[in-house]
Amino acid sequence: MNRSDFPDSFVWGSATAAYQIEGAVAEDGSGPSIWDTFSRVPGAIANGHTGDLAVDHYHRVDEDVALMADLGLEAYRFSIAWPRIQPEGVGPGNRAGLGFYRDLAEKLLERGIAPWATLYHWDLPQALEDRGGWLNRDTAFRFADYAALVAEELGDVIPNWITLNEPWCSAFLGYASGVHAPGRRVGAESAHAAHHLLLGHGLAVPAIRGAAPAARVGITLNLYSIRAASDGEADRDAARRVDGLGNRLFLDPVLRGSYPEDVIDDLGQREWFATETAATDLEAISAPIDFLGINYYSRHTVRAGSPDEPAISYPGSEFVEFVDTGAARTQMGWEIHPDGLIDVLEMAHTMAPELPLYITENGSAYEDVVGEAGGIDDAERADYLRDHLLACRTAIERGLPLAGYFVWSLMDNFEWAWGYTRRFGIVFVDYATQKRTPKASGRWFSRFLRGNG
Ligand code: IFM
C-alpha cells in the first residue's frame, strides 16, 4: 500500500480534543466544564486523574504544531472548548479563548496544515449543566449561539467545522450509564439528551454558514459495525437494538429527517418524541451538511441476553450481550475488525449517496513500553493503522466517497474515565516531563505520508 493508491485530494490528518490535551482549565478566563466537575467525583476517573494539566497543549502550541509538520500531517482536527469561549455558556466571547484558537489555526495554516475544528467534544460549560444540561432543550439554542459566535470570529482561518463529536457518547455515557460527565443516570430519558444534541447540531449548521459563508460543515458520529451472533430471531433482534441505538438513532434524523420508530419504541419514548420532535425539529436536524465524519474503532457481535440479568446499561438494549468472538482486541478490549470500517461507510453512503465521508477518528490503545534507547516500538498500533488504511483503500476501490482519514490520536492524552491509563497517541507523552516522542507507529505513518510507507 502506498499513499499514491489514494486520491491526491485525500485529506490526511490526526485528531485530538480540548479537554484531553489542553490543560489550563482555569486560565485566561476559561470557565468550568462538566469534566472539571466530574473528574473530581471520587471514583469517577481511574486513579483520580483530571484534565487540569493534560498534556499542557495550551502552553505548547508551537511545539505541537511543529511536531505535526515534522510528521507530515496535512490536516489537524482539534476541538474548541466551549467554556474557554463562553465561561458561563452564554454571552460575549472571551477574547483570550478566541485568541488561543486563532493563534493555533494561524500556526497550522503557516505550516500548510488544514484546521478542522470540532465545536463540541463533550466539555459543556458547567453553568449550562446546572440548568439541566442536554436534557434541557434550551441548551440546543445556546449551542447554536456559541457556534455562530465562534464561526463569526474564526471563520476566516478555519475552513472545516464539525458541530458535535459522537453525540451518542454525550447522551448515553453522560446521562444513561453515567460513566462520563455529567455522570447522570436518567434511563430512557437520556434519549431526550440525544434529541437536544441533534437539535443543537441542526441549528448550528445554518448559524455557522450565516457567520462564515465559505465554511464546510458536518457532524461526527461514532458508528459500529454490528452483527448478530446467530441467525436466530432473538439474536437478530439484539443486533437490531444495538444498531438502532448506536447508529440509526443518529444517522436517520441527520441524513433522512426522521427517527427510527423501532428505536423510539424500544426506548418507550413514543409520546415524548411525538410532541417534542415536531416537524420543525427534524427539519432543523436534517439541515444539509457538507460531509459526514465517522469515528470507527470496532465491531460488535451481539446476542440476546437473559431478561433477569441486564448486561448493558443502555436503555432499550438492557438484555443484549456482547459476544467475545476470540478476535484480537486492543487494550480497551475493543475487537479489531478493519473491514467494519467499510461496513459503516456503506451504511452512511446508502442513506446519503452524494455525501463525502471522512474517517474523523480511528486508532488504538496499547500498553506502550519505552525501550532502553528511549524509543517506543508499538508494532501493534502500526499494524492496526495499516490494516485500517487498507480498509480505507478497499472502500475507495469499491466506489465509496471516502475523502479523508484522521488518526486518533496525535499524542497520548486524557482518555476520559480511564484517565491517563490508556494511550492512543502515535506520539508518546512522558507525563512527568511532557516530552513528546514519536512512536514507531507515528514514524511509520509519517513515512507513509511522505510516500515511503
Ligand atoms: O478518546 C476518545 C475520543 O475523545 C472520542 N472517540 C473515541 C476516543 C477513544 O476512546
Side-chain angles (χ1 to χ4, degrees):
M1 177 176 59
N2 271 301
R3 182 195 165 128
S4 56
D5 298 343
F6 292 79
D8 290 343
S9 60
F10 199 79
V11 174
W12 293 103
S14 72
T16 63
Y19 189 75
Q20 295 181 271
I21 64 163
E22 286 178 3
V25 287
E27 246 174 86
D28 292 340
S30 183
S33 83
I34 55 175
W35 276 93
D36 292 312
T37 308
F38 186 66
S39 62
R40 281 175 169 69
V41 174
I45 314 290
N47 300 337
H49 290 157
T50 74
D52 288 5
L53 176 60
V55 294
D56 199 29
H57 170 73
Y58 193 76
H59 300 117
R60 293 168 192 262
V61 168
D62 286 349
E63 179 187 350
D64 290 340
V65 172
L67 181 65
M68 291 179 229
D70 286 349
L71 288 170
L73 299 176
E74 292 159 15
Y76 175 50
R77 174 177 175 239
F78 57 96
S79 83
I80 294 178
W82 187 349
R84 258 192 219 297
I85 308 300
Q86 292 178 308
E88 300 285 315
V90 294
N94 169 27
R95 298 312 317 167
L98 288 162
F100 170 73
Y101 293 108
R102 169 167 291 280
D103 180 54
L104 168 63
E106 285 177 352
K107 290 196 162 101
L108 291 168
L109 291 170
E110 276 165 26
R111 298 284 197 145
I113 301 170
W116 286 63
T118 303
L119 282 157
Y120 186 70
H121 199 125
W122 307 354
D123 40 5
L124 186 71
Q126 180 61 42
L128 293 184
E129 179 55 36
D130 295 342
R131 286 152 55 178
W134 289 109
L135 293 173
N136 180 353
R137 184 182 179 77
D138 186 58
T139 301
F141 294 87
R142 301 290 65 79
F143 177 69
D145 287 352
Y146 151 70
L149 187 164
V150 179
E152 173 86 43
E153 292 277 351
L154 302 179
D156 59 327
V157 284
I158 300 179
N160 307 291
W161 296 84
I162 293 170
T163 54
L164 306 177
N165 179 70
E166 302 181 354
W168 183 91
C169 295
S170 302
F172 298 118
L173 301 181
Y175 294 89
S177 68
V179 300
H180 278 189
R184 298 185 60 188
R185 296 198 171 107
V186 303
E189 288 183 14
S190 50
H192 306 180
H195 176 72
H196 295 144
L197 281 150
L198 289 170
L199 180 58
H201 154 77
L203 296 170
V205 171
I208 296 167
R209 291 216 179 96
R216 295 180 72 235
V217 192
I219 182 173
T220 279
L221 303 178
N222 51 318
L223 301 181
Y224 288 88
S225 170
I226 311 284
R227 64 171 190 157
S230 80
D231 269 350
E233 201 184 320
D235 289 351
R236 280 192 286 116
D237 192 58
R240 178 194 63 73
R241 283 171 187 269
V242 174
D243 172 54
L245 195 73
N247 297 327
R248 290 182 289 118
L249 185 63
F250 297 89
L251 283 169
D252 281 18
V254 169
L255 301 181
R256 290 181 165 153
S258 62
Y259 277 114
E261 297 205 355
D262 60 315
V263 182
I264 302 299
D265 285 343
D266 290 345
L267 290 163
Q269 293 295 317
R270 184 171 278 274
E271 211 180 316
W272 189 88
F273 274 80
T275 51
E276 190 80 0
T277 61
T280 46
D281 275 5
L282 280 165
E283 207 179 302
I285 291 170
S286 57
I289 48 180
D290 299 305
F291 62 87
L292 178 70
I294 297 175
N295 293 351
Y296 175 76
Y297 287 92
S298 187
R299 167 178 78 169
H300 296 321
T301 302
V302 297
R303 69 172 167 233
S306 154
D308 303 326
E309 289 176 50
I312 304 183
S313 43
Y314 303 117
S317 299
E318 289 87 347
F319 308 118
V320 172
E321 282 177 11
F322 288 104
V323 175
D324 184 348
T325 62
R329 293 170 179 260
T330 68
Q331 196 193 2
M332 297 297 281
W334 298 347
E335 179 182 318
I336 303 168
H337 188 68
D339 282 355
L341 184 146
I342 305 172
D343 296 342
V344 296
L345 290 171
E346 265 165 1
M347 197 187 303
H349 180 61
T350 308
M351 288 190 188
E354 307 300 328
L355 198 61
L357 306 174
Y358 292 83
I359 295 295
T360 41
E361 283 182 29
N362 174 244
S364 53
Y366 287 104
E367 219 163 325
D368 292 319
V369 178
V370 182
E372 275 175 24
I376 298 92
D377 185 11
D378 59 336
E380 289 167 304
R381 186 177 288 104
D383 286 352
Y384 181 101
L385 289 182
R386 181 203 57 211
D387 291 348
H388 285 79
L389 290 183
L390 283 166
C392 288
R393 187 178 72 175
T394 304
I396 293 170
E397 282 164 4
R398 290 191 194 164
L400 290 162
L402 177 62
Y405 175 93
F406 293 77
V407 180
W408 185 269
S409 177
L410 171 66
M411 52 191 165
D412 296 334
N413 57 49
F414 178 82
E415 177 54 24
W416 308 112
W418 294 96
Y420 300 98
T421 67
R422 294 292 181 276
R423 294 176 176 271
F424 274 88
I426 54 171
V427 172
F428 183 86
V429 179
D430 177 337
Y431 293 125
T433 61
Q434 296 295 346
K435 183 168 183 260
R436 280 88 159 121
T437 307
K439 303 177 190 176
S441 60
R443 288 185 277 116
W444 175 81
F445 192 49
S446 178
R447 285 196 303 278
F448 172 81
L449 293 180
R450 297 205 155 94
N452 309 311

